[in-house]
Amino acid sequence: MRLGAGHIPKSSLSILIYRLTDQSYSMRHERIAIIDREMCKPKVCDWYLCQRVCPVERSGTECITVSETDKKPFINEETCISCMICVKKCPTKAINIVNLPHELDEPPVHRYGKNEFALYRLPIPEKNAVVGLIGPNGVGKSTVMNILAGALQPNSGVLERKTAEWKELITQFKGSELQAYLERVAAKQIRSAYKPQAVDQIPLIWKGTVQEMLATLSEKKRVVDAVKKLGIGHLLGKEVKGLSGGELQLLAIAATIARDADFYFFDEPSSYLDVYERLRAAGAIRELAKHSIVLVVEHDLAVADYLADTVHVLYGEPAVYGIVSHPQAVRNGINSYLDGYLPSENVRIRPEAIRFDLRAKETQKSKVFMTFPELAKTFPGFQLRTSAGSVYKGEVIGIIGPNGIGKTTFIKLLAGELASDTGTPLPTMRLSYKPQRLILTNEEEAFTVHEFLSETTDSLSTTEAKRLLRLLGIEKRFEKIMSNLSGGELQAVFIARALLAPHDMLLLDEPSAFLDVEQRLVVAKILRSYTEDRQIPAFLVDHDLQFIDVISDRLMVFEGERGKMGTGNAPTDLTQGMNTFLKQLGVTFRRDPSTGRPRANKPGSQKDQEQKQHEAYFYAS
């Protein structure tokens, strides 16, 4: 007997019968087929090329059908044989077919629709602990957040209905710690607070001062406490539209922790923040765990390590499916993620392990590209002065220092966006500048990625450009609308535009923001090979010390008083630069002996005191 599609089972036995008899569901799907409805353009392929080349269709068995609603194809995952012919032939790269891991023997928690993203498992919320989520972008962190906050009622993978009853999902997790939590979600007893990834969008939503915005979100006492914990009292009178990226991030964190909630979710709280601000914000977030459930997505592994008590690794195929691992101790979980193998799951999530150097590399570059003079710029209430220096051909100079002391101003002086008050003008050259804030004009929001990049260059079809776009993961998103891109996708497009524009020198302001760990390492590799092959130098501002360490040949360290005065020192080697920077912050990092990744020491710990005594603030195992 087959149950009606509108019938929702009530008991465990009926759930099993429903799944075994409903043809839309299989207890063991072998594959997932995805068709991006936005990128699918039937006119471009002369109407359903995928259907015409499909060997299953040509044999007389139905595999690819056309939707009556949007006139775009659907792939039947039960009859698909994963030949990949349609994937290779699709001119807009809209199709993706992935075989699921053999170890996965459970149904999805939620699937958005036929040929759409599927999420397997959920993280376990824990009281008195911060739960970290680590892994690549696009494998389900937003879906996790929406389910645990009660904003999305999952369908247990049954596509004939948009949602399942909460009882069904609760049964799926019966006996686990999730059961009690989901029962509260089902009863609408969970108050949630969410810190979004895209803090750049805040000025587009709110017009007014920081104080006015915070006052609308929570009671005065909680706002005052949040402002004090994050040290942002000086921002209260500022207009939100005039805030920097770091200031917007602190505002978003303050607005979240000021809420009275049972469940807090922070999506990349470290982006745009300097090292000191990252650790301070981590301390404020940790305090929430004393009375509420806290989940944090974080791609700066040093911050994730410092912040979380346990972690779940999210893995899978971005935009296709995501799997939430079982909980692990934070060090073991991060190291397993870097190893690319999860012992508790018996699954390999990456073909190669990621390793970091225990010692600073020494640059071999010595051919001077140009010398730059002392530069100065004075604004009302703020003054910047930078030392003269030289930059070598093919080198990357990392720029590090606290927020609010002129790093971005220095970049703008080099780029010619600002005129220096003193010093001789910089040599005339073509400069390509990627700004800190990823802001689109109204016109650009409606562009496709291809149209946006074509504004900068007409050489997107060259072998070199195609390779760059493929490595950045952009080539298969050419037909996506710019306003629909995620933060990581948008960052990759802005980086590509900077590299593809005609230039003699690169200026990049926080290129790691919104990128996941693997994307950051890919970008670092691309930029190093790009500058070395073309003997083009680059200045790069960033706050992820792991990223800065991997990509930089030398460092420029900025010092000063936030919002009042900044001093930029001449370029120096990595060891001296890192020690100078971290010494002024009073922060030390040790190296994990297994992976070489930096781990923040607790202030005043034996390791912290020992490293400070030996002036080894960063390169110490």
Side-chain angles (χ1 to χ4, degrees):
M1 148 181 133
R2 188 177 189 279
L3 301 177
H7 180 77
I8 300 177
K10 301 295 183 182
S11 68
S12 299
L13 179 60
S14 61
I15 291 170
L16 180 60
I17 294 172
Y18 182 83
R19 287 174 171 166
L20 290 175
T21 57
D22 193 304
Q23 294 176 3
S24 70
Y25 187 88
S26 167
M27 288 298 286
R28 177 72 187 101
H29 278 308
E30 293 184 355
R31 66 192 60 81
I32 281 186
I34 299 292
I35 297 181
D36 190 311
R37 315 304 281 181
E38 180 185 357
M39 292 170 60
C40 178
K41 311 284 186 184
K43 287 184 180 179
V44 173
C45 68
D46 196 21
W47 302 102
Y48 316 121
L49 175 63
C50 54
Q51 191 179 55
R52 297 199 303 274
V53 300
C54 175
V56 178
E57 282 282 339
R58 294 170 72 177
S59 72
T61 301
E62 185 179 273
C63 184
I64 300 179
T65 57
V66 177
S67 167
E68 292 294 330
T69 306
D70 62 4
K71 305 301 180 184
K72 295 182 180 181
F74 279 122
I75 297 175
N76 185 332
E77 293 166 347
E78 301 298 329
T79 57
C80 173
I81 60 173
S82 300
C83 68
M84 302 299 174
I85 294 175
C86 62
V87 175
K88 295 173 183 176
K89 293 288 186 179
C90 178
T92 60
K93 311 296 182 185
I95 303 174
N96 201 343
I97 298 173
V98 176
N99 292 321
L100 291 170
H102 292 295
E103 297 81 6
L104 190 65
D105 58 356
E106 57 197 271
V109 170
H110 184 70
R111 189 158 191 194
Y112 283 93
K114 193 173 182 180
N115 295 159
E116 294 189 49
F117 181 83
L119 175 70
Y120 294 82
R121 303 192 199 135
L122 288 171
I124 299 174
E126 298 181 42
K127 276 198 172 183
N128 304 316
V130 175
V131 178
L133 305 180
I134 58 175
N137 286 324
V139 291
K141 63 188 180 186
S142 296
T143 304
V144 164
M145 186 277 296
N146 285 323
I147 292 173
L148 294 182
L152 172 64
Q153 189 170 338
N155 59 17
S156 296
V158 181
L159 302 182
E160 265 66 14
R161 52 201 175 144
K162 291 184 178 179
T163 63
E165 282 197 0
W166 280 109
K167 286 183 180 179
E168 184 172 334
L169 188 65
I170 291 167
T171 300
Q172 187 173 331
F173 292 101
K174 189 173 183 179
S176 73
E177 296 175 61
L178 265 170
Q179 180 183 354
Y181 179 82
L182 292 174
E183 286 172 348
R184 291 182 63 197
V185 173
K188 301 188 184 302
Q189 295 174 352
I190 295 292
R191 297 166 300 164
S192 61
Y194 171 49
K195 199 294 292 179
Q197 178 200 66
V199 295
D200 289 332
Q201 303 301 310
I202 294 175
L204 304 179
I205 300 168
W206 180 262
K207 310 298 179 185
T209 67
V210 169
Q211 188 166 25
E212 290 168 343
M213 176 178 163
L214 291 174
T216 66
L217 298 174
S218 186
E219 61 185 51
K220 184 176 180 181
K221 184 178 179 181
R222 295 185 67 90
V223 169
V224 170
D225 186 50
V227 167
K228 183 178 180 181
K229 286 177 180 176
L230 295 172
I232 60 171
H234 62 289
L235 298 181
L236 293 176
K238 284 190 173 184
E239 293 285 326
V240 171
K241 65 181 180 181
L243 298 182
S244 67
E247 290 169 340
L248 285 171
Q249 185 70 270
L250 289 172
L251 170 60
I253 295 171
T256 305
I257 66 177
R259 301 278 298 278
D260 185 14
D262 306 297
F263 171 68
Y264 293 88
F265 189 97
F266 293 86
D267 195 347
E268 298 185 46
S270 73
S271 296
Y272 298 143
L273 300 184
D274 63 41
V275 173
Y276 178 79
E277 290 170 333
R278 291 178 183 207
L279 299 183
R280 184 170 185 168
I285 292 170
R286 283 194 61 83
E287 284 192 34
L288 295 171
K290 294 177 181 178
H291 55 79
S292 301
I293 291 166
V294 181
L295 262 70
V296 179
V297 172
E298 184 51 70
H299 296 309
D300 183 332
L301 295 183
V303 174
D305 191 2
Y306 186 85
L307 178 59
D309 297 291
T310 61
V311 298
H312 293 264
V313 178
L314 274 71
Y315 63 99
E317 183 76 17
V320 179
Y321 75 95
I323 302 172
V324 181
S325 79
H326 301 301
Q328 303 179 61
V330 63
R331 179 180 180 269
N332 294 340
I334 292 176
N335 283 358
S336 294
Y337 171 60
L338 292 175
D339 285 341
Y341 175 72
L342 306 182
S344 61
E345 318 279 314
N346 189 29
V347 64
R348 179 156 291 283
I349 61 174
R350 192 186 317 104
E352 296 179 354
I354 296 173
R355 291 291 180 266
F356 301 97
D357 294 331
L358 290 171
R359 294 176 177 80
K361 59 182 177 290
E362 295 183 7
T363 183
Q364 303 299 315
K365 296 156 188 173
S366 58
K367 294 182 180 179
V368 175
F369 174 80
M370 74 162 194
T371 58
F372 53 91
E374 291 183 0
L375 299 172
K377 191 67 182 177
T378 300
F379 301 97
F382 180 80
Q383 186 179 61
L384 170 68
R385 291 190 176 278
T386 64
S387 299
S390 297
V391 56
Y392 303 137
K393 292 182 178 181
E395 82 165 334
V396 176
I397 293 183
I399 299 176
I400 57 176
N403 276 329
I405 58 170
K407 301 186 305 299
T408 298
T409 300
F410 173 70
I411 287 290
K412 289 182 177 180
L413 287 170
L414 288 178
E417 287 195 9
L418 294 173
S420 176
D421 297 339
T422 61
T424 56
L426 289 169
T428 300
M429 66 180 72
R430 299 173 300 171
L431 301 172
S432 186
Y433 172 46
K434 189 211 79 71
Q436 178 197 66
R437 303 271 300 280
L438 309 179
I439 304 297
L440 299 171
T441 65
N442 291 335
E443 183 183 14
E444 289 171 340
E445 285 186 349
F447 283 174
T448 63
V449 170
H450 185 274
E451 290 168 340
F452 181 75
L453 293 175
S454 296
E455 291 281 296
T456 301
T457 179
D458 56 3
S459 59
L460 293 178
S461 59
T462 65
T463 302
E464 184 179 26
K466 285 182 177 179
R467 178 177 178 275
L468 171 66
L469 296 171
R470 185 178 69 255
L471 290 173
L472 287 172
I474 295 172
E475 189 178 38
K476 58 185 179 182
R477 295 182 173 88
F478 257 23
E479 298 304 319
K480 288 188 81 86
I481 302 299
M482 289 294 294
S483 60
N484 293 339
L485 297 180
S486 68
E489 291 170 337
L490 196 61
Q491 185 71 268
V493 171
F494 268 77
I495 291 170
R497 185 173 70 165
L499 293 179
L500 292 170
H503 62 274
D504 302 306
M505 186 164 70
L506 276 170
L507 305 170
L508 304 168
D509 200 343
E510 301 204 43
S512 79
F514 310 128
L515 300 181
D516 63 44
V517 176
E518 295 175 55
Q519 289 171 328
R520 292 179 189 198
L521 295 177
V522 166
V523 167
K525 186 176 181 179
I526 289 171
L527 291 176
R528 283 195 65 83
S529 63
Y530 186 91
T531 53
E532 289 171 356
D533 291 347
R534 292 160 185 76
Q535 291 294 286
I536 291 173
F539 286 88
L540 184 146
V541 177
D542 214 279
H543 294 301
D544 184 336
L545 297 187
Q546 191 169 272
F547 179 72
I548 281 285
D549 180 38
V550 169
I551 198 170
S552 304
D553 294 289
R554 292 187 296 158
L555 296 178
M556 279 188 73
V557 180
F558 278 63
E559 304 172 275
E561 187 176 356
R562 297 171 189 268
K564 294 184 179 180
M565 180 271 294
T567 301
N569 297 306
T572 186
D573 64 73
L574 290 178
T575 300
Q576 183 179 339
M578 285 292 190
N579 282 338
T580 299
F581 170 54
L582 293 176
K583 186 175 182 178
Q584 62 178 289
L585 297 180
V587 176
T588 60
F589 287 81
R590 68 190 184 280
R591 292 299 180 123
D592 183 89
S594 300
T595 63
R597 65 182 174 89
R599 306 183 68 194
N601 292 317
K602 291 183 179 179
S605 66
Q606 182 178 347
K607 192 70 176 175
D608 179 62
Q609 295 180 52
E610 181 183 304
Q611 286 182 220
K612 286 177 178 176
Q613 185 179 355
H614 291 91
E615 297 282 319
Y617 283 78
F618 191 68
Y619 300 100
S621 57

